[in-house]
Amino acid sequence: MSWSGVYADGISPRLQQLDVEADFDGLQLRGEATREHWRWSDILAVVPLASGEPVRLGHRASAARLRIDDPTAAVALLAHAPSLQRAHRVRSVGRRFSKGIWIRFGLATAALVFVIAIGPDMIAGLMPQSWAARIGDETLRVLAPESKRCTDEAALRVARDLAARLAPTQTIRLEIASLGQPNAVALPGGRIMLSREMVAFARTPQEIAFVLAHELAHEQHNDPLTGFVRVSGMQVLSRVMTGGSGMLGNAGVVAANAPMSRRVEARADSDGMRMLEAANIRHNEIDSFWRRMEAQTGASNGYLASHPSTAARARAATTDSQDGEPPLDAAAWDALKKGCR
Amino acid sequence: MHDVAANMPSGSRARVSWYGKTSELYALLATNILFKILTLGVFTFWARTRKRRYFWSHVEFLGDRFEYHGRGIELFLGMLFVAAAVLLPLAIASSLLTLALPDELKAIVQVFYFIALGFLTGAGVFRAIRYRLTRSAWRGLRFGLEGRAGRFGRDYLFRTFLMLITLSLHRPWFDAWYYRTLLTSTRYGDQHTESRPEGGELFGTYLVCWLLMVPTLGLSMAAYRVAFLRHLVARTTLAGLTVSFDATARDLIFLRVGNFLIVGAVLLVALGASITWTTPLMIGSTLSADNKSVAIGLIFLVFGAIAVTTVLPLLWQRRMRFFCTHFVFGGALAVDHIRATTSDAPQVGEGLEAAFDFDAVG
């Protein structure tokens, strides 16, 4: 089989017309200035070969190109070399990465691993308290503007005194504000936000004491600041890894952060219970608190959840012990419930 | 040696032809999106490479197709370097300074931050174009871009500043500088492109379009774009090859309005479908708040992906057909004067450009 072909030698864009003949080993190219033999294994498809279409081939060892416009050529060549049905991986300029590239790759990877695994704890530990407080205040301002905050002095004093009793050595700034759902949040710099909805939801002072103890445990471990640094780093990383695909990148951040977040939350639950014990506060109804929470807000579960499942938290909080005192007397409890409802 | 007509003898005219098929573009995009979802976006770099490989190999000039030789791993490594060497230090320095400095000095930090961002954007565009050109070939010969990214970044920053203080009236000079610098630095084999656009010659047209921008909802700028493209290509040559652009402002407006209507219609349908599917979740579901958010996010993601998959190939087709139809090449390509070079090409690429969301070529 032979056809007329158009050949470019890869050194100049000048085209030469030549005869192309297919044999058992490959293609014979014969022109006035060109005489080459391309073995089948050296031939690459610049564009995948398709019946009736011009054939565009290249040579693996050079930049030479060959075009056969005859519509019958594609089928005949595919019979010899079926791989030409697929576009070849054209050799790239940077096909062989130098040693320097791999060293830089290693350093870059190490830097990014640092961001995720080691960096957050280290950075959070080194950050001055005044900086952490500034981040906490700013977050507090965004999360709960002044207009949403509870200003009842008596109620705030009750909550702050309870926090001080649970963690006497910690410097805490506690605020109560509307967050739209029963919740509490620990923020960098010892800032804690208790929601009005949580105050309304709680049936006993023990429940409020447990919620505060949980958030105080987060503060003891510097979890809010570590989490802030980690998520910020992961957001940069996700942008890098996805080339800026926002929604997918955010899903990646949630998925990557969730297991660590669940561990931190479980630790804050158990440390919170220990804190209640240490302060001699009765804590035998926390499991029912979680069951009511599940009934109100739905089950928290799944691989992407930031907290352990509500059922697991209820099981971990189950105790028959009646030891300890109530965290608040009736008057204080009344002041809190009425003042920041 | 027997020359063939495709060497483009003097006096002939030729156009670039686009052979992409909508069905193939749908298949390409669908697989890219699927793999992006499965890899939570990491496939982006390989998806971009597949797309470019398809586009390049379906554009034909004088009987021969273009080739794209880039690889996904090169883009990925480029982005990784930029993240470690530029983005992270910049983000950390900016955050620390914002936290450590008193409020009255924060504004100064912000100014330096934007200066750094402007410089890096310009340098990133230059590096991205250099990467793409060094990975592009025609008849086996590669393209290239000479020059220094740092110098381009510095000038880009200065001219962006001029754009800001002149309320964009500097635009014609900016565009002329931008394309003149890039085109005169571009080479095919060892032959450099020559380009001499002059911003001053386009200022009158630009001023009229600028004044009409608000009443025409920005459509007047199409007239400037067409005028600029005509001016640019008329003053650009490569090895004896001349170019002209024969579209009118009306052609460009039809293209853009058509695209807008296609995108609007598909997005409306996708939004409606997403709301229909998420409403029962929002009002009647027993899922927790966390799981509800994830489920709603997934529904919007799926319909968003369907909308993008539906609309993008149509837009690509329209754009490629438009530009391939309206660029006309004349003169004589002096093939005897062009030789392949062995210039160094970057081993990785585009990190900066991708980080700042610029896509200068396609």
Side-chain angles (χ1 to χ4, degrees), chain A residues 2 31 42 113 124 136 183 194 223 227 230 252 262 264-265 294 316 336 339:
Chain A
S2 64
D42 291 332
V113 168
N183 206 349
L194 182 64
D223 292 339
R230 179 182 296 112
R262 285 197 297 270
V264 167
E265 292 298 333
E294 184 173 78
L336 178 63

Side-chain angles (χ1 to χ4, degrees), chain B residues 161-201:
Chain B
F161 174 70
L162 289 181
M163 288 275 282
L164 281 174
I165 61 171
T166 60
L167 300 174
S168 289
L169 284 172
H170 180 66
R171 166 64 69 185
W173 287 277
F174 181 95
D175 287 344
W177 161 80
Y178 184 89
Y179 287 100
R180 184 173 54 240
T181 308
L182 290 175
L183 283 169
T184 51
S185 307
T186 298
R187 57 172 176 72
Y188 170 60
D190 60 356
Q191 288 291 308
H192 277 263
T193 307
E194 289 175 26
S195 187
R196 290 184 302 278
E198 294 294 339
E201 293 181 25

Side-chain angles (χ1 to χ4, degrees), chain B residues 30 35 50 67 117 130 135 158 169-170 182 187 198 229 239 292 299 307 320 347 349-350 358:
Chain B
F35 281 115
R50 291 182 75 221
E67 296 170 41
L117 217 58
R130 185 170 62 185
R135 265 65 178 172
F158 172 65
L169 284 172
H170 180 66
L182 290 175
R187 57 172 176 72
E198 294 294 339
L229 271 174
K292 212 179 271 186
I299 289 171
M320 291 304 292
Q347 289 193 314
E350 296 201 1
F358 278 83

Side-chain angles (χ1 to χ4, degrees), chain A residues 61-73:
Chain A
S62 72
R65 297 290 180 262
L66 173 68
R67 193 180 78 228
I68 305 172
D69 290 329
D70 189 326
T72 64

Side-chain angles (χ1 to χ4, degrees), chain A residues 93-263:
Chain A
V93 173
R95 61 192 179 281
R96 287 201 177 161
F97 295 129
S98 64
K99 195 193 266 180
I101 287 282
W102 288 115
I103 290 171
R104 281 193 282 163
F105 174 66
L107 288 174
T109 307
L112 294 170
V113 168
F114 173 81
V115 167
I116 301 298
I118 316 156
D121 278 315
M122 196 181 283
I123 293 170
L126 290 171
M127 201 176 280
Q129 183 61 25
S130 61
W131 294 12
R134 199 176 281 192
I135 297 171
D137 287 340
E138 189 61 25
T139 317
L140 205 61
R141 194 180 60 76
V142 173
L143 203 63
E146 295 287 344
S147 59
K148 288 187 170 181
R149 291 193 197 170
C150 173
T151 52
D152 187 281
E153 285 298 327
L156 284 170
R157 193 165 49 246
V158 168
R160 286 169 183 163
D161 286 350
L162 180 56
R165 190 175 148 200
L166 288 163
T169 57
Q170 280 181 257
T171 307
I172 295 296
R173 180 180 157 194
L174 190 146
E175 299 287 349
I176 301 176
S178 290
L179 295 179
Q181 58 181 338
N183 206 349
V185 190
L187 302 169
R191 274 60 179 156
I192 290 177
M193 174 68 67
L194 182 64
S195 78
R196 286 172 183 271
E197 294 81 359
M198 179 61 88
V199 174
F201 176 79
R203 283 187 183 164
T204 65
Q206 282 168 257
E207 294 179 354
I208 288 292
F210 170 71
V211 170
L212 285 180
H214 172 95
E215 302 307 334
L216 287 164
H218 277 314
E219 295 291 353
Q220 271 183 352
H221 290 289
N222 210 8
D223 292 339
L225 192 57
T226 310
F228 173 81
V229 174
R230 179 182 296 112
V231 170
S232 304
M234 285 170 95
Q235 278 170 344
V236 173
L237 185 66
S238 88
R239 189 170 175 75
V240 170
M241 302 289 279
T242 63
S245 310
M247 199 185 272
L248 285 171
N250 288 339
V253 170
V254 170
N257 191 47
M260 201 166 293
S261 173
R262 285 197 297 270
R263 276 199 298 277

